[in-house]
Each structure stands twice: as C-alpha cells, then as structure tokens.
Amino acid sequence: MIRYVLPAILLAAALPAQAQSPDTTPLIERAKIFGNPSKSGGRLSPDGKWLSWIAPRDGVLNVWVAPASDPSQAKPLTEEKSRPIRTSFWSPDSKVLMFIQDKGGDENFLLYGVDVASGKQTNYTPFEKTRVKMVKISTKIKDRILIGINNRDPKWHDVHSLDLATGKLTLVQQNDGYGGFLADDMLNLRLAEKPRGDGGSSFYRVADGKVEAKPVVEVGLDDSQTTGPRGFTTDGKTLYWIDSRGRDTAALMAQDVASGKFTMVAQDKRADITDGLFDTRTGKVQAYEAEYLQHEYLPLSADLKADLAFLKKNIKGQFYIGSRTDADDKWLVSVDQVSAPASTWLYERKSKRLTRLYVVRPELEGAPLAQMYPQEIKSRDGLTLVSYLTLPKSVNAAGTGKPSQPVPMVLLVHGGPWARDSYGYNGYHQWLANRGYAVLSVNYRGSTGFGKGFISAGDLQWGRKMHDDLLDAVQWAVKNGITTSDKVAIMGGSYGGYATLAGMAFTPTTFACGVDIVGPSNLFTLLQTIPPYWEAGKQQFYKRMGDPTTDEGKALLKERSPLNFAENIQRPLLIGQGANDPRVNVKESDQIVAAMAAKNIPVTYVLFPDEGHGFARPVNNIAFNAVTENFLGKCLGGRAEPIGGAVKASTAQIKHGAEFAPGLQEAIQ
C-alpha cells in the first residue's frame, strides 16, 4: 500500500522556539530539491547503441534518447504537457522506447511506445480503466513481449503477447483468479500464483497453456512477503527463488525444474536477500543483493567479482547497477554519496573505464547537504529497529552524528507499511535538516527486509505495537540528546500518513504537530475502497490489518482508526491529499477534516485535483512542501523559505483551515 474557532488551550500547544545558536547554513531552495531533476532514469538499449533518460521538456519530464557514443546529440521522444513520465524501458530489439502513464494519478497505467527512428508514438493498451502489468521481456525473442491487462475483469490481468511492430495483442492466458504468471525466456508461461484464503499463495505449473490442478509450491502467510519466484535461467532448466520458508531471512534459492529440488545459493542472517545480478546471456546468478544498514552486492562468480571490486574501489559512495547491454560489455551505474546529488556513470567492462554521464540534480552540487547515520534502536520488547538519522549541519560540524545540542526533530515515517527506509540521499531528510531539524526514519515492525518474523510482528498491530516502535524511537532520540520531548513533529505519507493521524489521535500530547500525506483515517473504509486489481492480496490485508468481514475484525479496525478518536487531537495538523488516489480514497482525508472541524479542532487541508497517491507533479509537491515548512516553522521553530507564489503556481485547493498555516492565507489571496 501499500502518501472555525481555535480554542485557547490549543493555542498554548504552539510551543516557543528552543533557544539555540543561529543557524548560518545557507538555505537550500526547496525547488532545487523537489523540482524536476535535470536527468534521471538512464537506460542503455540492449544492443548498446542508444542511451535514454528522462529529463524536462518545456518543464515536464519526458523521455530523451541519444547515441551512446555521443550523448550530446540527445533529442526528446515524447511531449507530455502536464503529467511527468517517471519510468521508461527499452524494447528487446532496441527499436522502441516504452513508458507507462496514467491520468491525474488514477494509477490506470497504460503502455506506450515510441519508435526511435521515426518518432511515432503508439498506445499499446488503448483501454479505459485499465492497468497494464509487465509479465516478461525476453533477451532471446526480440519482436514481442508479454503483458497483463485487466480490461476484461478489473480484478485479474489476462496475459497477452504484444507484437511491437504492429501493436497487435494476442491472448495467451485468460486469468480466472491468479495473482500473477511467470514466463521463461521463450515467452512460455511456466508458473502461476494463486492467492490462498489464509493470506498465503499456491504456485502451479503451467504447461501448454493449461494450469495444472495440483500446486507445486505452497507459501503460508508468514512467508508471503518474503517468498516468490525470481526468474528462470535462459535455458529454462533452473528457477531462482527468493525464499524464507524454513528460515527467518529470505535466501536466494535455485530450483532444478526437472526434479523440483531446491539448493541454497546464498543467505544473510541479518537481512533478506532482495535480488541479484544475473548473466544477460545465460540468466545464471552472478551476485546477490542484501541490505541491512546499507545496500551491498556480494559476488558469486569470478568474472563479476573483479567488476564489483573495481567499482567499489573507484566509486565514492553506494552504487547500483542498472541496465546492462545484451553483450554485457556496458553497464549504467548509479552512484549515491548521500551528501551529494546522485550521478549516473557508464562502465565499460573490458577496459574497466568509468565515464560520468550526468548528475541528477547538478544545482545541488556544492550545496550544504547533510550526512545520514544508520542507527540500531531497541524497541521496548527487544526488537532491533534499523533507523536513519540526519542532523542539521549547524549542530554536526564535527561529522560525528552526535549533535552539539538538542534540536527540534521530525519523525519521518515510511509508507507501505510493507516497505522500508534505506540509507542514501533522501530529499526530505536534506530539506528538513537544512531547515534546522533532526530527521529520524524508523523501520518499525512490519517493515520489509529484516526477515519474516519482523514483518509478522506487525500483524494486527496498526496503531499499537507498530506505533509503540515509533514512540520508542522518539524516546531514544531524547535520551541521546538529539531532541527534546516537546519538540518532535510526526510526518509521513500513506501508512506514514496513518501513523501521523494515529500519533495525533492516540498519543495526543507526544507530538508538537503532524503532517499527513494521503494517509487513511478509517481502516474499515480503506479496505472497502482498495483498487479491484488488489484482489489477489486482499486476504493478506485482512490477516495483517484486521478482517472487515468478521465481528472481531470490525471491532479491531474501528479501534485502530484515528477517525474515531479525532476529538482527542490537540496539536496542529496539516493534511495533503490527491483527489484521484485509488489506494487511499479522498474520503479518508475528507472525513477526518470534517470530524475535526465539527469539534472546532484546527486542521489545514490541501487537496490537489490532478494528483493521486502522492504528488507526482513537481509544482504540486513544491506547493505542499512550501506550506509544510512554514507550518513546521511555527510548530517547531525551524527555518522556512516563504511560500511566495508556490501555492498559486500549483493546482492546490485549500479546502479548510488556511488560517492555521502561517503565510497560507496571504499566499492564496
């Protein structure tokens, strides 16, 4: 998932700014952090002849292409006028650049392709209320790919073969209740996954277009987030799995297809193995990826070991290997130094040569960006919460990660909740630290990456033990002199927005204020309005959140819904929402604002009519963050760039409470 009258007692909750030395760190313009990147999303064509990326065209992110031998000869291939293109990828024959796009954040993503030679753009899935799903792009079959389309039944994606030259769609497999299909490199469907009533999954062989009746692999609820097939080798004889069955952290396993036997390839007892690097010609695994405190590659083959050692020696910071040519002679490598903008490099394997292609945000080069510090925080019941702390440079001059004096803090909660925070450059951390706040992001129980036990510890714990973890992290920060208990704000999107509402309603005096972005306020109505194409995961939602079809589940969901405790909210709250959000319906924000307004409790509500689950258009994101930093400035006493014309330049509608956000009324007049 799954981002009236003010009572006197609430005015008293706006605490005075903490006395401290003036922060002389230059203020970074928020547009430099949240505006369009100069370039991002670089891809090499499979044949190595072309280089593509996403960059602004007339102020909107579009797809560009250039000869790999001369990137200066770039030209735009698309001309989106309002909604940014956020991801693109190459056809296997290197003739077409493909991308997905929705309308106004509704997440009904359609598939488009642009012929590199002619510039002709084709909508491959011209259907209404349809969401495309990639099934398989082969390295062997170049003229077609497999995609899933839910235009027949919105709950299930039928598998089609897409002829890239003609755009013709041919039905391969009608889907009557399967969560997904796995194909081999010859584009033959080989495996089907079906959701179970207990929240787990059954996997079935597919042969000659028919799904066998008896499952070959069973996965229970506890393993459902950490077990699944990764892909076949090119010859189709080996199937790799990420698999936590029989262990806590997910291991990389190789299954011999003929015998069904599983062999462990690699395991990390600290963290789940999340993926691997696979030979582009054979499909055999060459390295695996694990992330505990930081991301790392661990080599499994001699040839890749030398490459990874070279990159580690010659790159400052974390690196991520992106696209690789079919010949595997060239790679694109993304570099993340945390306190510098990310960059993308061309790595030529034979000559061991690295060439910088671009910096994602060159306007941030030389800016006073802050370092991030991984932390291991103990919860009250003994779990280890991997967390990430960023401090204002003004109190971390020595670079030790320990502030010279306490500062106000923003607890920044990730969404999901079945996701995780990671080490690396984070625009929100940089922005808030530059404004004078410590920023703490916590992998609370239920977060992924730390084993199935850690995920399952969050089952049925929304607003309870998951929230306790956040409170424990705040206490850790106070105890370690990072902040003071009266100067902590909570902020987040999606589940992080829920955590914000829960913090304000369930522990109303813990946080000085809160910022909720697309957060659900009523868990019962949230589960009633999830998109139809989430049908495969519905039982897992019920088992991990609460089952709305049972009396016990209804009672639990009611008890954990901040809406039902809105009258308890005492501190200032800012809410941002996209009107077209298919995950967290706009009513989730509407109803808690209405409940607070009915009780004369101050809340500011900003709605964007052209957004969904989060704010994709930079002009809208900048506008909401302009309101946010001035809101936090009043609440915590940090610095703020004036709102200026940011809100007027966006589509923001101030639905309620402009008077409670400093500078907002003036900005919209």
Side-chain angles (χ1 to χ4, degrees), residues 307-368:
D307 292 300
L308 293 176
F310 174 83
L311 293 175
K312 189 173 183 178
K313 179 181 178 182
N314 290 277
I315 287 176
K316 182 181 179 182
Q318 290 188 138
F319 62 88
Y320 299 87
I321 297 168
S323 62
R324 299 159 67 177
T325 60
D326 281 350
D328 210 21
D329 57 343
K330 297 174 184 175
W331 298 352
L332 285 192
V333 180
S334 298
V335 177
D336 183 349
Q337 298 184 52
V338 181
S339 56
S343 56
T344 294
W345 300 65
L346 175 67
Y347 173 55
E348 297 168 271
R349 293 185 71 193
K350 186 176 181 180
S351 61
K352 293 286 191 292
R353 184 169 65 175
L354 274 168
T355 304
R356 192 173 81 167
L357 295 176
Y358 60 81
V359 176
V360 175
R361 296 184 181 274
E363 59 272 27
L364 289 178
E365 289 187 294

Side-chain angles (χ1 to χ4, degrees), residues 144-157:
R144 60 190 179 93
I145 63 175
L146 295 183
I147 62 174
I149 312 172
N150 64 338
N151 60 326
R152 179 187 62 84
D153 184 338
K155 294 180 180 179
W156 310 108
H157 286 75

